[in-house]
Amino acid sequence: MTTVDVVLPVPVDQTYTYGVPTEMRDTVDIGHRVLVPFGKRRLTGVVASEGPDPESVDFALKDILDVLDERPACSEEMLRLTKWIANYYVCSWGEAIKAALPSGINVKSTHRLRRTEEPPGQWVEHEQAGPLLADLEGRDDTTLSAIRKRLGTTVPLGLVRRLAAEGILEVNTQLSDARVSAKTATYVRFSAAFQHPSAAADLVEQLRGSKQKALIEALAGFREEGTPEPLRTDLLERAEASHSSLNSLVDKGMVETVEKEVVRSPLDDLPDPGPAPDHTLHPSQQEAYDAVARAVEDQSYQTFLLHGITGSGKTEVYIAALKDVLAQGRTGIILVPEIALTPQTVQRFRSHFGDTIAVLHSQMSMGERFDAWRQLRDGELSIAIGPRSAVLAPMDNLGLIVVDEEHESSYKQFDPAPRYHARDVAVMRAYLNDAVCVLGSATPSLESVMNAEWGKYTRLNMPERVPDSSGTSAELPNVEIVDLTLQKRKHQLEGALSEPLRAAIRARIDRGEQTILLQNRRGFAPVIECCDCGWAPLCRDCSVTMTVHKTRSGGRMLQCHYCGRTEPTMRACPSCNSQDLHQIGTGTQRVEDELNDVFPDAEVLRMDRDSTRKKHGHHKILSQFRNGADILLGTQMIAKGLDFSRVTLVGVVDADVGLLLPDFRAEERTFQLLTQVAGRAGRADLRGEVILQTRNPEHKALQFALDHDFDGFAASELEDRKILSYPPFGHLATVEFRGPKEARVERLAENWTKALRKHSASDVLIGDPSPASVKRVKKQFRYRTVLKSRQSQKHLQSALRRTEQSFGSVPNGYHVSIDVDAVGLL
Ligand code: ADP
Ligand code: ZN
Ligand code: ZN
């Protein structure tokens, strides 16, 4: 090849032509990564095709600088798939390819800057150079991107070069090959001089600051537990201290911080999965498997929607089909919503397929990720199991893609682009490969239900739980609704748990059975409010109230659930000075307190984002539950994939959480969550019971969940969707506008939407731009325009594409994000 067309990781919808120097002509091929000059930068791109005859090119052709691969990083199939993703989700091809390559594979240029001389006055005054020079003062060296982030403005590279030419700055441009740099974390330990165990006590004597004392004590505590170098985040959390307290200890030379590579993966702790059970499929499993197996045998594309109730044995069907695919010498991908939440599913695949599996997960270091990616690409491993991004695993010869819990919204990517839905990409990828796709769920998405109805997918049903050896199927649990309004009126409601729910839990504790309790809201109380004037603390950077959290020592603090900012609570209302502050509503921590009060003899576990933040958090809690703890309380994390035979009671503390969100899928989500969590009860010979507490007992999501009536719910909900032309009957996309100044965001949104109207076909309905329901997050204002089309997705895509091209770039610091098939209109 004398020229190549290269896809670059820039948000521009085109390929770029480069010349190939003679010495590289033999080594470059389609799918190879190449290093190219791009403006003042060097970028890594992927060769998409052979370029035009150099004679016919009417611009100055630049040459590629290097060929980075010996074997293609992107197969031709992956090029086709990513091209489809780019077209469908209206992003650039480069962005889609980037999602398919392991992070860290790309070579990027980094500019490191250092101030060398006292700058002359004219530069200090300069509008852009002034802040840059001030920022560099007193720093050893720093990267240009870090400076840009700190200053929140652009610092043109041209200006940097000019300052360098005048000798004021030193610029060092490096190619950072992140492939070799694995993920690191910061750990803390005592400095050499203070290592002796008695030194800690002396230090505590000497120090004045109570937070510094707490840090020393916590660090000594970790050491006693056999962890002399705890993670910095763990130490700060235990001592309830801030970075600045720790930094002053570092400055005093008492402790030091170390950066270490994070090598362990969450699976290291999983026990050997043991031998694979050899089940004989029961009749409805056999029927489902036969249908899938025929398609696998034919090696022709087909998508199945496997609707099997919780405990019907879907995983066994996946495993049987995967065995057939491997026997043909082909490969398979298994998508699960999140690895940490589905350890039992992962273990079952490992027990059958052992060493041929690559388990991909979010806590992998870059090195591990790259290794897994390479082994899959080279055919050393033939199965990938993982969350959303595993749908882009680089395997050849794909025979099967399974999407377990296909209704889960975590399959949709939000940021960055491509904002793809892994289920839909899975279907497309299967189609491109003459492969079979199986979408499994106990509560399929309404999109998939309709696709089956319309004949695009083949529906398979498994309406019964797996029968035991005597041939009887475990019955579905009995669901009961407790009306909280009524309970309150009868003065039977003291905390969050009603009398009937308390009695049911008590009975389980006494019989040595287990309870799962869902409260889908973390923290202690969602709001703290002044009883006298109604004041409530808002986050400084987001337009939401802060949530009350309980600290380890039993105190309270405030946390913003959108940006993570924490603040101490106040004793008195800052607005009217009243001391009458009321904590309103119920989070998991508050339920935990109540359980401990009411059932002092019970072992209670709490599983939510806060209690699982530490590594292996999920795993630890689940194994404690397996070892017989009485109650597992948690957010929606506990609703999926868990199979514990002694759980005979599932309680939903507040079934209304989520029901009233401004999202047309709110009811569908609630029905799914309730059905999924109810499915955790009574999976073996012990009959299960489910208690739903609610203030909306007549709500249809609850009423259908009461009867385990998925089809009834789907039919009723689909009717509503049809009237409003919401998916699956209409197509939907959103455009989000974001930036630091509200007036500018609003103006951008209006102008963009105006352009969008001009470029849209007549069946496209375009709403007016409006503030997102949480208007400001992390100091950024957000506006949103919603587009609908009754007829065709393509009409939305072409309008968006044309608008984006004609509108051109937006002001720096402002963003326009296109989200096709958006999920969650919050
Ligand atoms: P689902 O994924 O549909 O919730 P699972 O595949 O997890 O269901 O199956 C539920 C339970 O039944 C698991 O413990 C599994 O090992 C067991 N099981 C599944 N199929 C069979 C079978 N054919 N014979 C015996 N046990 C089975
Ligand atoms: Zn007040
Ligand atoms: Zn915030």
Side-chain angles (χ1 to χ4, degrees):
M1 294 188 196
T2 50
T3 66
V4 284
D5 287 334
V6 177
V7 189
L8 293 175
V10 290
V12 178
D13 184 31
Q14 65 168 90
T15 54
Y16 294 84
T17 303
Y18 286 92
V20 182
T22 335
E23 70 274 16
M24 295 183 201
R25 289 198 181 146
D26 292 341
T27 49
V28 73
D29 206 347
I30 290 170
H32 279 140
R33 289 175 312 135
V34 288
L35 188 65
V36 298
F38 187 76
K40 294 207 164 75
R41 290 182 291 169
R42 300 162 143 209
L43 291 178
T44 303
V46 173
V47 177
S49 55
E50 183 163 5
D53 182 347
E55 305 294 311
S56 71
V57 175
D58 57 3
F59 53 88
L61 202 58
K62 286 190 204 158
D63 278 349
I64 59 173
L65 302 169
D66 207 353
V67 180
L68 301 173
D69 294 308
E70 284 162 40
R71 308 190 44 174
C74 257
S75 64
E76 300 211 21
E77 183 240 327
M78 196 49 87
L79 285 170
R80 259 188 300 156
L81 182 69
T82 49
K83 180 83 189 162
W84 177 83
I85 290 174
N87 285 337
Y88 189 94
Y89 293 102
V90 191
C91 67
S92 76
W93 195 1
E95 287 170 311
I97 287 184
K98 195 169 171 203
L101 296 178
S103 58
I105 193 177
N106 277 350
V107 179
K108 261 201 240 141
S109 55
T110 316
H111 308 281
R112 303 197 73 89
L113 310 190
R114 204 161 67 88
R115 224 175 86 173
T116 45
E117 267 182 27
E118 199 52 41
Q122 107 237 23
W123 283 122
V124 177
E125 305 289 310
H126 189 274
E127 194 188 351
Q128 284 167 316
L132 164 71
L133 293 166
D135 183 76
L136 285 172
E137 181 158 7
R139 286 184 203 280
D140 269 354
D141 81 341
T142 181
T143 63
L144 186 56
S145 57
I147 297 173
R148 285 174 174 160
K149 217 180 250 164
R150 279 196 294 272
L151 297 180
T153 59
T154 56
V155 178
L157 195 61
L159 176 71
V160 171
R161 297 255 180 250
R162 247 178 97 188
L163 293 168
E166 297 196 14
I168 302 167
L169 294 184
E170 200 174 88
V171 184
N172 183 2
T173 301
Q174 301 164 331
L175 294 180
S176 56
D177 189 349
R179 183 167 63 201
V180 288
S181 64
K183 187 173 153 193
T184 65
T186 308
Y187 297 80
V188 185
R189 64 183 178 213
F190 284 108
S191 314
F194 297 92
Q195 298 255 329
H196 192 271
S198 67
D202 293 345
L203 284 177
V204 172
E205 292 277 290
Q206 289 167 25
L207 286 167
R208 256 172 291 135
S210 64
K211 288 296 172 196
Q212 296 182 20
K213 281 186 192 174
L215 278 165
I216 296 290
E217 278 165 356
L219 188 54
F222 272 112
R223 184 170 57 191
E224 267 163 40
E225 293 161 19
T227 313
E229 284 179 18
L231 269 171
R232 179 170 61 189
T233 49
D234 290 350
L235 178 70
L236 293 178
E237 188 182 321
R238 186 179 289 192
E240 288 178 23
S242 65
H243 282 270
S244 63
S245 309
L246 179 63
N247 289 344
S248 48
L249 290 178
V250 173
D251 290 342
K252 289 179 181 140
M254 296 167 178
V255 304
E256 56 195 21
T257 57
V258 246
E259 289 285 316
K260 284 201 300 191
E261 192 175 324
V262 181
V263 281
R264 301 180 58 200
S265 74
L267 295 164
D268 293 347
D269 270 9
L270 290 182
D272 187 305
D278 197 13
H279 294 311
T280 321
L281 298 181
H282 64 78
S284 72
Q285 272 177 324
Q286 187 68 45
E287 224 172 281
Y289 163 71
D290 285 344
V292 177
R294 270 195 300 277
V296 167
E297 180 68 39
D298 287 352
Q299 309 212 1
S300 63
Y301 161 73
Q302 197 167 345
T303 292
F304 294 94
L305 173 60
L306 176 57
H307 177 205
I309 64 166
T310 50
S312 59
K314 295 183 287 296
T315 313
E316 293 301 316
V317 176
Y318 309 150
I319 288 171
L322 191 52
K323 284 188 174 160
D324 292 352
V325 165
L326 293 189
Q328 293 174 335
R330 296 200 290 165
T331 61
I333 296 176
I334 314 292
L335 299 182
V336 292
E338 198 192 319
I339 291 282
L341 298 182
T342 46
Q344 291 173 326
T345 308
V346 175
Q347 286 295 67
R348 278 163 69 188
F349 279 96
R350 287 178 78 203
S351 78
H352 283 274
F353 302 104
D355 293 343
T356 54
I357 296 195
V359 181
L360 309 171
H361 53 86
S362 54
Q363 286 160 60
M364 273 169 131
S365 70
M366 261 196 247
E368 288 173 317
R369 201 179 293 273
F370 180 77
D371 285 348
W373 179 85
R374 192 195 54 70
Q375 287 175 299
L376 287 166
R377 182 197 62 178
D378 295 349
E380 290 164 25
L381 298 175
S382 42
I383 301 169
I385 179 166
R388 179 172 70 223
S389 60
V391 76
L392 300 172
M395 29 241 301
D396 282 336
N397 260 326
L398 203 53
L400 175 71
I401 308 181
V402 171
V403 185
D404 192 26
E405 312 278 5
E406 66 88 28
H407 62 280
E408 276 287 325
S409 55
S410 65
Y411 285 127
K412 183 74 160 66
Q413 160 115 343
F414 283 107
D415 257 326
R419 297 181 178 81
Y420 64 98
H421 199 304
R423 175 195 59 218
D424 300 336
V425 173
V427 170
M428 190 60 197
R429 192 167 180 192
Y431 173 76
L432 291 175
N433 284 281
D434 295 323
V436 171
C437 185
V438 179
L439 312 177
S441 177
T443 50
S445 63
L446 296 178
E447 283 82 352
S448 295
V449 168
M450 280 318 292
N451 277 327
E453 200 109 312
W454 289 324
K456 287 199 219 165
Y457 303 165
T458 307
R459 183 154 166 177
L460 304 169
N461 295 313
M462 299 203 300
E464 270 159 26
R465 288 184 162 186
V466 173
D468 64 14
S469 47
S470 69
T472 43
S473 293
E475 281 178 71
L476 281 170
N478 202 11
V479 185
E480 190 190 322
I481 287 182
V482 172
D483 183 347
L484 292 177
T485 324
L486 209 63
Q487 291 281 314
K488 190 136 207 176
R489 219 176 294 144
K490 291 198 284 183
H491 302 288
Q492 285 185 346
L493 196 63
E494 274 170 43
L497 307 173
S498 65
E499 215 30 68
L501 182 53
R502 286 184 182 190
I505 297 173
R506 180 79 259 166
R508 297 319 185 283
I509 299 172
D510 294 343
R511 293 206 295 262
E513 294 170 8
Q514 294 177 298
T515 299
I516 287 183
L517 280 184
L518 172 77
Q519 170 62 356
N520 201 11
R521 189 184 268 152
R522 67 194 174 94
F524 187 82
V527 186
I528 184 167
E529 197 179 270
C530 171
C531 291
D532 290 328
C533 75
W535 176 88
L538 293 175
C539 175
R540 226 194 300 159
D541 299 336
C542 315
S543 51
V544 288
T545 53
M546 298 195 72
T547 301
V548 185
H549 279 248
K550 201 173 144 183
T551 61
R552 257 163 200 271
S553 57
R556 297 283 184 275
M557 68 172 189
L558 300 176
Q559 193 189 78
C560 170
H561 282 189
Y562 281 78
C563 71
R565 159 192 298 285
T566 57
E567 274 170 23
T569 42
M570 54 291 298
R571 286 225 164 71
C573 168
S575 159
C576 74
N577 236 343
S578 160
Q579 304 232 342
D580 203 1
L581 295 176
H582 192 52
Q583 301 178 24
I584 303 170
T586 307
T588 44
Q589 290 179 322
R590 197 168 204 166
V591 179
E592 184 182 25
D593 277 9
E594 187 173 334
L595 289 169
N596 285 326
D597 275 356
V598 181
F599 308 110
D601 53 332
E603 188 185 347
V604 179
L605 304 171
R606 195 187 92 225
M607 185 154 137
D608 54 28
R609 207 178 329 147
D610 302 301
S611 70
T612 54
R613 189 163 297 143
K614 279 195 221 134
K615 227 187 281 167
H616 314 306
H618 299 96
H619 181 58
K620 268 187 203 146
I621 295 172
L622 292 178
S623 54
Q624 275 171 284
F625 195 54
R626 184 163 307 115
N627 290 338
D630 299 287
I631 300 170
L632 175 65
L633 158 73
T635 54
Q636 59 186 351
M637 284 183 181
I638 60 168
K640 290 174 207 132
L642 303 181
D643 182 9
F644 294 104
S645 57
R646 295 205 65 77
V647 174
T648 57
L649 173 65
V650 165
V652 179
V653 177
D654 183 354
D656 307 335
V657 175
L659 207 50
L660 305 172
L661 295 176
D663 179 346
F664 70 89
R665 291 190 178 91
E667 301 184 340
E668 184 183 7
R669 297 249 175 282
T670 302
F671 177 82
Q672 286 163 348
L673 181 60
L674 296 178
T675 306
Q676 296 280 342
V677 74
R680 308 297 131 220
R683 290 180 54 109
D685 45 338
L686 300 169
R687 176 92 198 254
E689 181 185 359
V690 178
I691 296 182
L692 306 180
Q693 300 195 133
T694 175
R695 290 186 171 76
N696 299 291
E698 299 304 322
H699 198 286
K700 91 178 171 198
L702 274 69
Q703 286 296 329
F704 284 112
L706 191 70
D707 297 335
H708 307 284
D709 184 4
F710 176 81
D711 290 332
F713 174 78
S716 149
E717 184 66 19
L718 283 167
E719 214 164 289
D720 294 353
R721 297 266 181 99
K722 192 164 192 172
I723 292 166
L724 298 168
S725 301
Y726 271 130
F729 299 101
H731 306 276
L732 190 128
T734 63
V735 188
E736 189 183 85
F737 308 91
R738 221 162 1 110
K741 294 229 166 67
E742 181 169 14
R744 286 187 83 176
V745 175
E746 202 178 348
R747 189 146 27 97
L748 172 64
E750 272 163 13
N751 292 337
W752 218 94
T753 306
K754 208 185 284 167
L756 189 57
R757 292 211 160 93
K758 208 169 72 194
H759 290 294
S760 294
S762 60
D763 78 301
V764 178
L765 300 172
I766 301 172
D768 290 324
S770 57
S773 64
V774 176
K775 183 161 90 173
R776 186 166 175 254
V777 172
K778 298 183 189 170
K779 299 186 178 159
Q780 300 262 310
F781 287 92
R782 306 185 302 168
Y783 274 65
R784 183 165 301 165
T785 295
V786 179
L787 297 75
K788 269 200 284 189
S789 163
R790 267 170 223 263
Q791 285 167 18
S792 164
Q793 197 61 269
K794 291 210 175 71
H795 293 177
L796 297 182
Q797 288 150 347
S798 65
L800 288 163
R801 178 74 74 189
R802 288 214 297 261
T803 308
E804 194 177 45
Q805 278 164 0
S806 71
F807 200 87
S809 60
V810 297
N812 263 314
Y814 289 76
H815 304 273
V816 177
S817 319
I818 292 171
D819 192 350
V820 174
D821 295 343
V823 163
L825 289 179
L826 286 176

